Amino acid sequence: MANKFRVNKILLDYLFSVIHLYSIEWHQPALSENHDYALAQLYSSNDDIYRIFLFGIEKAANELFITITITDNATSTEGGWTERERGASNYTIYENDPIDYSGYDDMSNYYPEPVDKDYMPQLGISKWALSADSKTIVLPYIKNKLLTLDYTDRIDILQQIEKERKHLYTNSTGYLNEYYYWQDAELTYADISGVQLDEEGDRLAVWTEYNDVYLYDRYANTTVITKPSLSEMVNHWLESYMTNTTETEEELIQKYLPSKWKLSMVITEGGIIPIAYAHFFHDMISHGNYLFIALKNGQVYAYHMDQLEQPKIVNFKTLLFEKWDMLMAMSMIIFIFVYNEYSIFTY
């Protein structure tokens, strides 16, 4: 049997044309000005299933329409198509026209920074990231928005989470023992230019329009248990409130499902040369982990990811010992100021 993760070009073109027409019929704007679609094959534990992920963007005059479809097709001709998941959302495009406030002299030249009305996200396959086993896919789509899909077979856990249970894949006998768990996030403050995963899907490199590289990691079912900080507890509570999940459901999500991306390193040495590609490499001899970054001018940089500078703990004690000279100078200035004021009011 041919490699199940490869689809020949004829079949790929056929799948794209069929699913493309199938997916846009329920969420296509009346007056579409532009569009872009991307197609990828996802993993399935069933060798007789081709699972296809289609992500589409339709642009109207003042709005972007997003469509997401996951569809299964049996390898036999009698199999037909089975929709596993569909999602849709809209994003408004704001156009800021220059405004002349003639009534206010101090604002007569005020011009707000306009948003490019011609902005159209590009979903080229070079911007996608897929793990070696096709069980994890990461896709940046609008500005700094990033979508992550992870394969999981923990159907026993998902059935206990209300917001996930209604999306589980089914057949004539009940739930399928597989599911793709979705996570949407805004990881950076700048537009995302590209992403790359390591082979296991546990490390993620994100580079932006300013050629900065952000490294994220996540390790599920870790044995190291750390006490959450106050900010993490507040974020956890807010997330539970906004997503209408119970405390029990949140505990199940954190313990058994793929975790969120956490920032581990930032590389800000890109300069003005755009980044073309990034690649994770694991040395089987030294067991070292490296990141290679290729720029569009042909230069390649290598970073040893196991030799990271540990973040320093910042509190009053560390400030007192490390910045004692600055504190001493500030104390002298405050003392002189107070003494001077005291002397004036005394006499």
Side-chain angles (χ1 to χ4, degrees), residues 6-23 39-41 50-54 71-74 80-81:
R6 295 185 180 274
V7 184
N8 63 56
K9 187 178 185 302
I10 297 177
L11 178 58
L12 191 64
D13 292 340
Y14 171 73
L15 292 174
F16 184 83
S17 61
V18 172
I19 303 178
H20 170 256
L21 295 174
Y22 175 74
S23 64
L39 182 71
Q41 183 184 359
Y50 278 118
R51 176 160 296 143
I52 303 300
F53 171 78
L54 178 68
T71 308
D72 286 354
N73 176 251
W81 295 94

Side-chain angles (χ1 to χ4, degrees), residues 71-87:
T71 308
D72 286 354
N73 176 251
T75 54
S76 62
T77 56
E78 296 82 10
W81 295 94
T82 303
E83 182 184 87
R84 296 302 182 191
E85 185 68 81
R86 83 161 41 173

Side-chain angles (χ1 to χ4, degrees), residues 215-245:
L215 299 180
Y216 299 85
D217 58 42
R218 58 177 186 177
Y219 300 97
N221 300 325
T222 177
T223 57
V224 179
I225 302 177
T226 59
K227 183 179 179 180
S229 64
L230 178 59
S231 61
E232 290 177 335
M233 294 174 64
V234 172
N235 291 335
H236 173 68
W237 180 84
L238 289 175
E239 185 175 352
S240 300
Y241 177 78
M242 296 298 293
T243 57
N244 296 321
T245 55

Side-chain angles (χ1 to χ4, degrees), residues 231-265:
S231 61
E232 290 177 335
M233 294 174 64
V234 172
N235 291 335
H236 173 68
W237 180 84
L238 289 175
E239 185 175 352
S240 300
Y241 177 78
M242 296 298 293
T243 57
N244 296 321
T245 55
T246 65
E247 188 68 25
T248 301
E249 291 175 337
E250 281 296 326
E251 291 178 358
L252 291 174
I253 292 173
Q254 291 190 6
K255 186 175 182 180
Y256 297 104
L257 297 182
S259 58
K260 299 180 181 297
W261 295 109
K262 293 184 179 181
L263 183 65
S264 61
M265 182 179 178

